[in-house]
Amino acid sequence: CPHCGQDYLKSDGCNKIRCKCGNLSCYLCGQKIQNYSHFCNKRGCACGKCQLWTSTEAMENIDRAKRQEAGRKVLLEQGITDEEEIAAIL
């Protein structure tokens, strides 16, 4: 959560996430949001807003990227800075 730092994983539903702390954020970009105005629900729209709904496959790709970035951060904190080594570990 960008408000309190709590980790969360989306399993279903739209990309508007309400954290245990009560605040809203976008699952796709991680930004703090106030309401649905952050999202676009038109398929193929190029307005630049995040999509309110994503397919299961897209959600899995997003989750995988977030896990890899979290793992990369841990490795960097442990002093592993070689990108090839990080890629091999992840």
Side-chain angles (χ1 to χ4, degrees), residues 17-82:
I17 302 294
R18 182 175 302 276
C19 181
K20 291 178 183 180
C21 71
N23 290 298
L24 299 174
S25 61
C26 174
Y27 186 75
L28 295 175
C29 70
Q31 288 185 3
K32 298 176 183 180
I33 63 171
Q34 299 297 318
N35 52 42
Y36 284 101
S37 66
H38 176 82
F39 300 100
C40 179
N41 204 27
K42 297 176 186 170
R43 289 194 184 267
C45 182
C47 68
K49 290 184 175 183
C50 291
Q51 291 293 307
L52 180 59
W53 300 93
T54 49
S55 69
T56 302
E57 182 181 347
M59 223 169 61
E60 288 171 353
N61 290 336
I62 291 164
D63 291 340
R64 184 178 305 108
K66 287 183 178 186
R67 286 191 308 272
Q68 286 180 335
E69 184 55 35
R72 184 178 186 283
K73 182 179 176 183
V74 169
L75 293 173
L76 289 171
E77 289 171 355
Q78 293 177 353
I80 300 171
T81 58
D82 180 63

